[in-house]
Amino acid sequence: MDDENEVEILQRYRRDRRVLLDFILSGSLIKKVVMPPGAVSLDDVDLDQVSVDYVLNCAKKGGMLELSEAIRDYHDGTFFPSMSNAGSSDDFFLATDPESSGPPPRRPPPSAPVVVPTPILSNLAVSEPLDSEQLEELPSLSKSQSLNSSHLKELTVDDIDDFEDDVEVESHRYSRRVLNDASDVVLELPSFATGIADDDLRETAYEILLAAAGASGGLIVPSKEKKKDTKSRLMKKLGRSKSDHVVLQSQSSYGLVGLLETMRVQMEISVETDIRTRQALLSAMVGKVGKRMDTLLIPLELLCCMSRTELSDKKSYIKWQKRQLNMLEEGLVNHPVVGFGESGRKASDLRVLLAKIEESESLPSATGDLQRIECLKSLRNIAIPLAERPARGDLTGEICHWADGYHLNVKLYEKLLVSVFDVLDEGKLAEEVEEMLELFKSTWRILGITETIHYTCYAWVLFRQFLITGELGILRHAIEQLKKIPLKDQRGPQERLHLRSLSCKVESEKRFQELTFLQSFLLPIQKWADTRLADYHLHFAEGSKLFEDAVAVSMIVRRLLLEEPELAAQSAPLTDVEQIELYVTSSIKNAFARVVQDVETFSDTTNEHPLALLAEQTEKLLKKDTTVYTPILIQRHRNANAVSASLVHKLYGIKLKPFLDSAEHLTEDAVSVLPAADSLEQNLMIIIKFTCEGGNADTYLKKLNLYKIETISGTLVLRWVNSQLARILNWVERAFQQEHWTPVSTQQRHGSSIVEVYRIVEETVDQFFALKVPMRSGELSCLFRGIDNAFQVYTKNVLDSLADMEDIIPTVPALTRYSKETGIKAFVKKELADQRVPDVKQPREINILTTSTLCVQLNTLFYAISQLSKLEDSIWERWTRKRQHDGQKRHTESELRNSTKDTFDGSRKDINVAIDQICEFTGTKTIFWDLRERFIDGLYKPSVTQSRLETLIEPLDMVLNQLCDIIIEPLRDRVVTGLLQASLDGLLRVILDGGPQRIFTLVDAKLLEEDLEVLKEFFISGGDGLPRGVVENQVARVRQVIKLHGYETRELIEDLRSTGEIELLGGRGKLGADTKTLIRILCHRKDSEASQFLKKQYKIPKSTA
């Protein structure tokens, strides 16, 4: 046999051994079992370490079993190897592995003393394990057969039965599972005045069961056949384990006799008591022809038919008699449902007779027997009429309602129902449960049980057994029974009248309360359900199966109780939906209170703010609530999720409000608490929005007192942003003051100040998005505006560093007309001459703005505007990610973009304007300041032929090369265009306002045209310069003026005369020039006619040249 089979057989042996020991210790084979120190029940004892031989010896002797001695005997036996009882005495067993212990000893072992094996299942305890085939054969063994080959006679199953037959012992049932305490859940029934105990009820219930069975002729006194049946059942029990599933099997083979025997075992009634009761009931029927056994007044008949000698001792008899007398008193007198009427005096007499019967046991034998016999006769004459009072038997079919107070009846019936559970496993029903319940129906006439009472009692028994064992299957079976309880409309008229008469007064909270039958049984169940469902987060923390069943129990019981008179009379009882909402509200409050307590306990050990930690733990609570509990609750309350979420929102809001009211700055605590609170609120709103049915989401959302985290957080963020923007402006001023306008490097030809500005801006943006607090688009707009303003300030500083154009461009000389005379004082009309005296700026300050400096400034501004787009895109991308991360769907991205469209347009516009101004300034400074002497002052002096424009091409080319070396490629054409415009402006200045030293003739017009072409081609530079179209557009205005020099003086004068009238109408003359241009052409015309015209018409003085 391989190792695997050996292990399997060993495990089977150990399991069978434990089952055998458990049965023997839990039954009545042993009078008393003394637990070892530290053990409370058999569950605390390791049965593998208990000696079977020791236990069976104690059972055979009928003595007390001390488990500590049995454990010691087991360990003592393990000190020596197991010896077989057959074969040579020279055989021995090694206690070690021979392969690992070396060679065998050379000398023979010492002779072992002859040890007589324990004659009780010795081979089962120390030899081969008991397999299933052997187990099946065991019931067939007879008394003369033993379980092994030993010649000694061993204990058999029949011997075990003999122990029960010989002596009556108090039965103890030891649980094989850890049982719960259910003492707080008890029936709302009055206590018994006579002090009837549970054992009294159990024994009386069994007597009633026998009487009910006797009514159908199934009551016989057991004989030897009963022992064989007991033996078979014992071995069947030994083959079952606690983990076996209950399989309902028909007991038809046993019949009523076998079923009654099963009930005896289940109800822990000794065989002697069973036989004694059966004989007494049969004796009571002698001489009562035509009378059924279930019509007897059972306690009275047992008192009359059972003598003192049938019990083992006087003490047992007195106890038995006391129980019967108490039953008569409780059943007939103490709790009457039907009034006594004229028989009221008989009730008092009955109490006296019961006391005399009890007193007779203390009298001498002869006197006591006589008094007892007389009292029993009188008792019969009084008790029978009381038991046959009318007005109740008609409703339930009762023939003899000797147990008049209904709560005694149901307590007796409860004891019958309790017996349906497996004796080896209290969490399972017995195999014969269906047959038992059918048998119990025979007692309904005696106890006044109806279908409603049966289902109610059975549901209560199952429910309480669930509380004791924690077995979920028992609870579900109880729910099935609760569902079978008919509603008021489903009951027959007789049953409704009967149930209406069943009531009792129970002391509750220092006052007496009258309860109906259903209230007595169902109120404890409802109280249990309400207590646990009012804090289901605590009581059902492990799973939802039990929670679902508890909700079902609560709803079924509520429906049944609402039909009771007191509850039905209430003005507005709670509906199922309202009850579920009450459970949710109560449990959420309790759970949240525990979360708050836990956070307060552990907040000191973490760096996180308590409110932030509370929000996180609340979200966990909410997640568990929505995944475990509310899926069950929404079956009865469609909006249970919304109720739960709304309450959580309110509870957390109460804790959060003081913090929000005191928040003034964006502190670390605010950064920690605000995101957690906002996340919780958003999740709560999502739950309400997506779980509500029937369009109720808006109703619940409107009731929420929103935290307004975004508003509060936005205010704090705005304060922070404003402080950061002020810091940025300070850095802008500081960076600009330290700027020397030298390129950062050969590749980066911009100034260092703009790099510093972008660094501080990006650092601020990073800090902004590092704030994990809720924000609105307004905070982002504020940030954009602040950054936009910073770049505008920077651009303004650049422009402010430029000199005024008026300081660079020389003053326009006074207009004079051509004359050969000298010394004439110039006189110019106010409207034709500008007498402005310019502010003279020091040449040194203007010279600081070199071409190189201006180019670096242009490069710097271009860098600013090019990086601005990247900065804007980066901010928008991070903002979009933040909104998606926060899960805020209040606005779409397109809506946000439209609300702050073209965020940096202000700075873009200012920078572009600044670039244009600096390009214009660069060209103007080059022509009117750097080249003033050669261009403005020297060109065309003293005549055009003597000073042509070609002499200026070389210095212009040098300036242009310097510009192109420094300026970046995107700005090249704009700077060169500025130089072209300045050059043309300078040329016009020379031609029109050249002063008295410049005169032109008709011949000079052609030379001027040639010079203009030279200048144009210089800037076009064979296609390497400015686009020809751009240059042509710029040159066109100068060409128009040069053409005027080619007209005759007469044509110019005529056009000037006509132009004055035309200009009043908004037009020009036929030559296309305005009045001022024509006057200036005539002023510089070397012609007497022109001079005379200007003198006469405009009083322009002669030139001093």
Side-chain angles (χ1 to χ4, degrees), residues 25-60:
L25 297 177
S26 301
S28 58
L29 299 178
I30 298 176
K31 288 185 177 181
K32 184 176 182 181
V33 177
V34 180
M35 296 293 167
V40 178
S41 65
L42 289 179
D43 289 332
D44 301 326
V45 180
D46 185 2
L47 296 181
D48 289 338
Q49 301 187 32
V50 175
S51 171
V52 177
D53 296 340
Y54 189 90
V55 172
L56 292 179
N57 278 332
C58 289
K60 179 180 283 187

mmCIF file of all heavy atoms in Angstrom, residues 25-60:
data_model
loop_
_atom_site.group_PDB
_atom_site.id
_atom_site.type_symbol
_atom_site.label_atom_id
_atom_site.label_comp_id
_atom_site.label_asym_id
_atom_site.label_seq_id
_atom_site.Cartn_x
_atom_site.Cartn_y
_atom_site.Cartn_z
ATOM 1 N N LEU A 25 -19.520 10.905 24.670
ATOM 2 C CA LEU A 25 -19.433 11.980 25.669
ATOM 3 C C LEU A 25 -20.654 12.882 25.656
ATOM 4 O O LEU A 25 -21.013 13.467 26.672
ATOM 5 C CB LEU A 25 -18.167 12.810 25.430
ATOM 6 C CG LEU A 25 -16.840 12.066 25.588
ATOM 7 C CD1 LEU A 25 -15.690 12.992 25.257
ATOM 8 C CD2 LEU A 25 -16.691 11.525 27.002
ATOM 9 N N SER A 26 -21.303 13.009 24.481
ATOM 10 C CA SER A 26 -22.447 13.909 24.379
ATOM 11 C C SER A 26 -23.749 13.229 24.770
ATOM 12 O O SER A 26 -24.759 13.903 24.958
ATOM 13 C CB SER A 26 -22.576 14.458 22.941
ATOM 14 O OG SER A 26 -21.421 15.149 22.578
ATOM 15 N N GLY A 27 -23.778 11.947 24.837
ATOM 16 C CA GLY A 27 -25.006 11.230 25.159
ATOM 17 C C GLY A 27 -25.170 11.023 26.658
ATOM 18 O O GLY A 27 -24.590 11.722 27.489
ATOM 19 N N SER A 28 -25.953 10.019 27.000
ATOM 20 C CA SER A 28 -26.252 9.756 28.407
ATOM 21 C C SER A 28 -25.552 8.498 28.911
ATOM 22 O O SER A 28 -25.935 7.940 29.926
ATOM 23 C CB SER A 28 -27.772 9.617 28.586
ATOM 24 O OG SER A 28 -28.261 8.578 27.753
ATOM 25 N N LEU A 29 -24.544 8.043 28.189
ATOM 26 C CA LEU A 29 -23.833 6.825 28.610
ATOM 27 C C LEU A 29 -23.020 7.068 29.866
ATOM 28 O O LEU A 29 -22.776 6.145 30.641
ATOM 29 C CB LEU A 29 -22.922 6.336 27.480
ATOM 30 C CG LEU A 29 -23.632 5.958 26.165
ATOM 31 C CD1 LEU A 29 -22.610 5.537 25.132
ATOM 32 C CD2 LEU A 29 -24.643 4.849 26.407
ATOM 33 N N ILE A 30 -22.577 8.298 30.029
ATOM 34 C CA ILE A 30 -21.737 8.643 31.179
ATOM 35 C C ILE A 30 -22.500 9.650 32.029
ATOM 36 O O ILE A 30 -23.008 10.648 31.517
ATOM 37 C CB ILE A 30 -20.389 9.216 30.712
ATOM 38 C CG1 ILE A 30 -19.637 8.155 29.890
ATOM 39 C CG2 ILE A 30 -19.560 9.682 31.898
ATOM 40 C CD1 ILE A 30 -18.340 8.645 29.308
ATOM 41 N N LYS A 31 -22.548 9.379 33.318
ATOM 42 C CA LYS A 31 -23.355 10.224 34.189
ATOM 43 C C LYS A 31 -22.844 11.656 34.213
ATOM 44 O O LYS A 31 -23.604 12.599 34.108
ATOM 45 C CB LYS A 31 -23.358 9.658 35.614
ATOM 46 C CG LYS A 31 -24.166 8.385 35.773
ATOM 47 C CD LYS A 31 -24.224 7.963 37.227
ATOM 48 C CE LYS A 31 -25.101 6.716 37.390
ATOM 49 N NZ LYS A 31 -25.188 6.288 38.812
ATOM 50 N N LYS A 32 -21.540 11.814 34.338
ATOM 51 C CA LYS A 32 -20.983 13.164 34.470
ATOM 52 C C LYS A 32 -19.619 13.206 33.811
ATOM 53 O O LYS A 32 -18.824 12.290 33.965
ATOM 54 C CB LYS A 32 -20.880 13.555 35.950
ATOM 55 C CG LYS A 32 -20.404 14.987 36.163
ATOM 56 C CD LYS A 32 -20.398 15.366 37.641
ATOM 57 C CE LYS A 32 -19.962 16.818 37.823
ATOM 58 N NZ LYS A 32 -19.931 17.204 39.254
ATOM 59 N N VAL A 33 -19.401 14.264 33.086
ATOM 60 C CA VAL A 33 -18.117 14.483 32.420
ATOM 61 C C VAL A 33 -17.469 15.707 33.048
ATOM 62 O O VAL A 33 -18.040 16.794 33.054
ATOM 63 C CB VAL A 33 -18.293 14.694 30.898
ATOM 64 C CG1 VAL A 33 -16.946 14.983 30.253
ATOM 65 C CG2 VAL A 33 -18.946 13.475 30.259
ATOM 66 N N VAL A 34 -16.284 15.516 33.600
ATOM 67 C CA VAL A 34 -15.531 16.612 34.229
ATOM 68 C C VAL A 34 -14.500 17.121 33.229
ATOM 69 O O VAL A 34 -13.645 16.359 32.772
ATOM 70 C CB VAL A 34 -14.845 16.145 35.528
ATOM 71 C CG1 VAL A 34 -14.065 17.302 36.156
ATOM 72 C CG2 VAL A 34 -15.885 15.608 36.500
ATOM 73 N N MET A 35 -14.634 18.401 32.877
ATOM 74 C CA MET A 35 -13.730 18.995 31.897
ATOM 75 C C MET A 35 -12.352 19.207 32.513
ATOM 76 O O MET A 35 -12.219 19.489 33.702
ATOM 77 C CB MET A 35 -14.279 20.345 31.394
ATOM 78 C CG MET A 35 -15.588 20.216 30.654
ATOM 79 S SD MET A 35 -15.349 19.326 29.114
ATOM 80 C CE MET A 35 -17.054 18.991 28.673
ATOM 81 N N PRO A 36 -11.322 19.120 31.697
ATOM 82 C CA PRO A 36 -9.968 19.415 32.199
ATOM 83 C C PRO A 36 -9.832 20.901 32.488
ATOM 84 O O PRO A 36 -10.643 21.713 32.024
ATOM 85 C CB PRO A 36 -9.071 18.975 31.037
ATOM 86 C CG PRO A 36 -9.924 19.067 29.836
ATOM 87 C CD PRO A 36 -11.311 18.725 30.286
ATOM 88 N N PRO A 37 -8.854 21.299 33.260
ATOM 89 C CA PRO A 37 -8.676 22.727 33.585
ATOM 90 C C PRO A 37 -8.549 23.574 32.311
ATOM 91 O O PRO A 37 -7.823 23.221 31.387
ATOM 92 C CB PRO A 37 -7.375 22.749 34.405
ATOM 93 C CG PRO A 37 -7.262 21.372 34.964
ATOM 94 C CD PRO A 37 -7.855 20.449 33.941
ATOM 95 N N GLY A 38 -9.294 24.684 32.288
ATOM 96 C CA GLY A 38 -9.233 25.596 31.141
ATOM 97 C C GLY A 38 -10.232 25.310 30.056
ATOM 98 O O GLY A 38 -10.379 26.097 29.124
ATOM 99 N N ALA A 39 -10.934 24.169 30.130
ATOM 100 C CA ALA A 39 -11.911 23.819 29.101
ATOM 101 C C ALA A 39 -13.318 24.061 29.627
ATOM 102 O O ALA A 39 -13.617 23.791 30.794
ATOM 103 C CB ALA A 39 -11.757 22.361 28.682
ATOM 104 N N VAL A 40 -14.187 24.585 28.766
ATOM 105 C CA VAL A 40 -15.568 24.855 29.126
ATOM 106 C C VAL A 40 -16.501 23.813 28.530
ATOM 107 O O VAL A 40 -17.425 23.337 29.176
ATOM 108 C CB VAL A 40 -15.986 26.267 28.647
ATOM 109 C CG1 VAL A 40 -17.447 26.538 28.983
ATOM 110 C CG2 VAL A 40 -15.089 27.324 29.272
ATOM 111 N N SER A 41 -16.273 23.448 27.274
ATOM 112 C CA SER A 41 -17.092 22.445 26.600
ATOM 113 C C SER A 41 -16.172 21.502 25.841
ATOM 114 O O SER A 41 -14.941 21.656 25.843
ATOM 115 C CB SER A 41 -18.087 23.115 25.643
ATOM 116 O OG SER A 41 -17.393 23.760 24.594
ATOM 117 N N LEU A 42 -16.787 20.519 25.194
ATOM 118 C CA LEU A 42 -15.991 19.550 24.431
ATOM 119 C C LEU A 42 -15.274 20.187 23.256
ATOM 120 O O LEU A 42 -14.304 19.638 22.745
ATOM 121 C CB LEU A 42 -16.906 18.424 23.929
ATOM 122 C CG LEU A 42 -17.422 17.459 24.995
ATOM 123 C CD1 LEU A 42 -18.337 16.417 24.374
ATOM 124 C CD2 LEU A 42 -16.264 16.775 25.710
ATOM 125 N N ASP A 43 -15.757 21.348 22.815
ATOM 126 C CA ASP A 43 -15.080 22.033 21.714
ATOM 127 C C ASP A 43 -13.673 22.465 22.114
ATOM 128 O O ASP A 43 -12.806 22.678 21.261
ATOM 129 C CB ASP A 43 -15.887 23.255 21.267
ATOM 130 C CG ASP A 43 -17.162 22.841 20.552
ATOM 131 O OD1 ASP A 43 -17.159 21.742 19.962
ATOM 132 O OD2 ASP A 43 -18.141 23.603 20.605
ATOM 133 N N ASP A 44 -13.457 22.626 23.439
ATOM 134 C CA ASP A 44 -12.141 23.051 23.914
ATOM 135 C C ASP A 44 -11.193 21.885 24.137
ATOM 136 O O ASP A 44 -10.039 22.098 24.537
ATOM 137 C CB ASP A 44 -12.301 23.836 25.228
ATOM 138 C CG ASP A 44 -13.191 25.062 25.030
ATOM 139 O OD1 ASP A 44 -13.143 25.649 23.947
ATOM 140 O OD2 ASP A 44 -13.932 25.410 25.970
ATOM 141 N N VAL A 45 -11.654 20.655 23.915
ATOM 142 C CA VAL A 45 -10.854 19.451 24.193
ATOM 143 C C VAL A 45 -10.432 18.813 22.877
ATOM 144 O O VAL A 45 -11.240 18.668 21.957
ATOM 145 C CB VAL A 45 -11.653 18.443 25.043
ATOM 146 C CG1 VAL A 45 -10.817 17.196 25.313
ATOM 147 C CG2 VAL A 45 -12.090 19.087 26.345
ATOM 148 N N ASP A 46 -9.158 18.481 22.769
ATOM 149 C CA ASP A 46 -8.651 17.770 21.597
ATOM 150 C C ASP A 46 -8.950 16.287 21.782
ATOM 151 O O ASP A 46 -8.278 15.582 22.546
ATOM 152 C CB ASP A 46 -7.151 18.011 21.439
ATOM 153 C CG ASP A 46 -6.605 17.391 20.150
ATOM 154 O OD1 ASP A 46 -7.416 16.828 19.385
ATOM 155 O OD2 ASP A 46 -5.383 17.477 19.921
ATOM 156 N N LEU A 47 -9.977 15.774 21.085
ATOM 157 C CA LEU A 47 -10.404 14.383 21.260
ATOM 158 C C LEU A 47 -9.359 13.397 20.764
ATOM 159 O O LEU A 47 -9.417 12.211 21.122
ATOM 160 C CB LEU A 47 -11.734 14.160 20.536
ATOM 161 C CG LEU A 47 -12.918 14.973 21.080
ATOM 162 C CD1 LEU A 47 -14.180 14.648 20.296
ATOM 163 C CD2 LEU A 47 -13.131 14.703 22.558
ATOM 164 N N ASP A 48 -8.430 13.861 19.928
ATOM 165 C CA ASP A 48 -7.369 12.959 19.465
ATOM 166 C C ASP A 48 -6.441 12.555 20.605
ATOM 167 O O ASP A 48 -5.706 11.574 20.494
ATOM 168 C CB ASP A 48 -6.549 13.636 18.357
ATOM 169 C CG ASP A 48 -7.352 13.761 17.078
ATOM 170 O OD1 ASP A 48 -8.321 12.983 16.919
ATOM 171 O OD2 ASP A 48 -7.022 14.625 16.243
ATOM 172 N N GLN A 49 -6.458 13.314 21.709
ATOM 173 C CA GLN A 49 -5.569 13.019 22.836
ATOM 174 C C GLN A 49 -6.330 12.411 24.017
ATOM 175 O O GLN A 49 -5.846 12.423 25.142
ATOM 176 C CB GLN A 49 -4.855 14.301 23.281
ATOM 177 C CG GLN A 49 -4.013 14.945 22.191
ATOM 178 C CD GLN A 49 -3.202 16.112 22.713
ATOM 179 O OE1 GLN A 49 -2.786 16.120 23.871
ATOM 180 N NE2 GLN A 49 -2.967 17.092 21.869
ATOM 181 N N VAL A 50 -7.534 11.916 23.761
ATOM 182 C CA VAL A 50 -8.335 11.270 24.807
ATOM 183 C C VAL A 50 -8.292 9.758 24.590
ATOM 184 O O VAL A 50 -8.516 9.278 23.475
ATOM 185 C CB VAL A 50 -9.794 11.778 24.777
ATOM 186 C CG1 VAL A 50 -10.649 11.023 25.782
ATOM 187 C CG2 VAL A 50 -9.823 13.276 25.073
ATOM 188 N N SER A 51 -8.023 9.028 25.640
ATOM 189 C CA SER A 51 -7.923 7.568 25.545
ATOM 190 C C SER A 51 -9.316 6.948 25.402
ATOM 191 O O SER A 51 -10.184 7.144 26.261
ATOM 192 C CB SER A 51 -7.229 7.014 26.795
ATOM 193 O OG SER A 51 -7.304 5.603 26.807
ATOM 194 N N VAL A 52 -9.511 6.225 24.307
ATOM 195 C CA VAL A 52 -10.798 5.561 24.080
ATOM 196 C C VAL A 52 -11.025 4.464 25.119
ATOM 197 O O VAL A 52 -12.131 4.280 25.634
ATOM 198 C CB VAL A 52 -10.857 4.993 22.650
ATOM 199 C CG1 VAL A 52 -12.160 4.228 22.424
ATOM 200 C CG2 VAL A 52 -10.712 6.102 21.624
ATOM 201 N N ASP A 53 -9.989 3.743 25.424
ATOM 202 C CA ASP A 53 -10.116 2.652 26.408
ATOM 203 C C ASP A 53 -10.580 3.196 27.758
ATOM 204 O O ASP A 53 -11.455 2.617 28.423
ATOM 205 C CB ASP A 53 -8.773 1.927 26.575
ATOM 206 C CG ASP A 53 -8.341 1.246 25.287
ATOM 207 O OD1 ASP A 53 -9.238 1.026 24.439
ATOM 208 O OD2 ASP A 53 -7.148 0.957 25.125
ATOM 209 N N TYR A 54 -10.003 4.302 28.150
ATOM 210 C CA TYR A 54 -10.375 4.892 29.450
ATOM 211 C C TYR A 54 -11.839 5.322 29.451
ATOM 212 O O TYR A 54 -12.569 5.109 30.408
ATOM 213 C CB TYR A 54 -9.455 6.079 29.739
ATOM 214 C CG TYR A 54 -9.594 6.638 31.133
ATOM 215 C CD1 TYR A 54 -8.803 6.154 32.181
ATOM 216 C CD2 TYR A 54 -10.520 7.640 31.413
ATOM 217 C CE1 TYR A 54 -8.936 6.658 33.460
ATOM 218 C CE2 TYR A 54 -10.671 8.149 32.691
ATOM 219 C CZ TYR A 54 -9.869 7.648 33.726
ATOM 220 O OH TYR A 54 -10.021 8.153 34.987
ATOM 221 N N VAL A 55 -12.284 5.926 28.353
ATOM 222 C CA VAL A 55 -13.660 6.395 28.269
ATOM 223 C C VAL A 55 -14.640 5.228 28.316
ATOM 224 O O VAL A 55 -15.656 5.261 29.023
ATOM 225 C CB VAL A 55 -13.860 7.228 26.980
ATOM 226 C CG1 VAL A 55 -15.332 7.566 26.767
ATOM 227 C CG2 VAL A 55 -13.038 8.515 27.048
ATOM 228 N N LEU A 56 -14.353 4.171 27.549
ATOM 229 C CA LEU A 56 -15.266 3.022 27.527
ATOM 230 C C LEU A 56 -15.294 2.290 28.868
ATOM 231 O O LEU A 56 -16.325 1.755 29.265
ATOM 232 C CB LEU A 56 -14.861 2.077 26.401
ATOM 233 C CG LEU A 56 -15.066 2.618 24.985
ATOM 234 C CD1 LEU A 56 -14.603 1.609 23.956
ATOM 235 C CD2 LEU A 56 -16.525 2.970 24.760
ATOM 236 N N ASN A 57 -14.176 2.248 29.565
ATOM 237 C CA ASN A 57 -14.170 1.651 30.907
ATOM 238 C C ASN A 57 -15.073 2.428 31.848
ATOM 239 O O ASN A 57 -15.822 1.860 32.640
ATOM 240 C CB ASN A 57 -12.744 1.609 31.456
ATOM 241 C CG ASN A 57 -11.966 0.415 30.921
ATOM 242 O OD1 ASN A 57 -12.567 -0.609 30.588
ATOM 243 N ND2 ASN A 57 -10.651 0.542 30.832
ATOM 244 N N CYS A 58 -15.003 3.787 31.770
ATOM 245 C CA CYS A 58 -15.882 4.604 32.613
ATOM 246 C C CYS A 58 -17.352 4.382 32.243
ATOM 247 O O CYS A 58 -18.230 4.368 33.106
ATOM 248 C CB CYS A 58 -15.518 6.083 32.467
ATOM 249 S SG CYS A 58 -13.945 6.529 33.243
ATOM 250 N N ALA A 59 -17.630 4.242 30.947
ATOM 251 C CA ALA A 59 -19.006 4.009 30.518
ATOM 252 C C ALA A 59 -19.514 2.664 31.032
ATOM 253 O O ALA A 59 -20.672 2.526 31.442
ATOM 254 C CB ALA A 59 -19.101 4.079 28.996
ATOM 255 N N LYS A 60 -18.649 1.649 30.981
ATOM 256 C CA LYS A 60 -19.064 0.324 31.438
ATOM 257 C C LYS A 60 -19.326 0.315 32.949
ATOM 258 O O LYS A 60 -20.278 -0.309 33.441
ATOM 259 C CB LYS A 60 -18.001 -0.710 31.070
ATOM 260 C CG LYS A 60 -18.350 -2.121 31.540
ATOM 261 C CD LYS A 60 -17.270 -3.124 31.144
ATOM 262 C CE LYS A 60 -17.363 -3.480 29.697
ATOM 263 N NZ LYS A 60 -16.435 -4.577 29.329
#
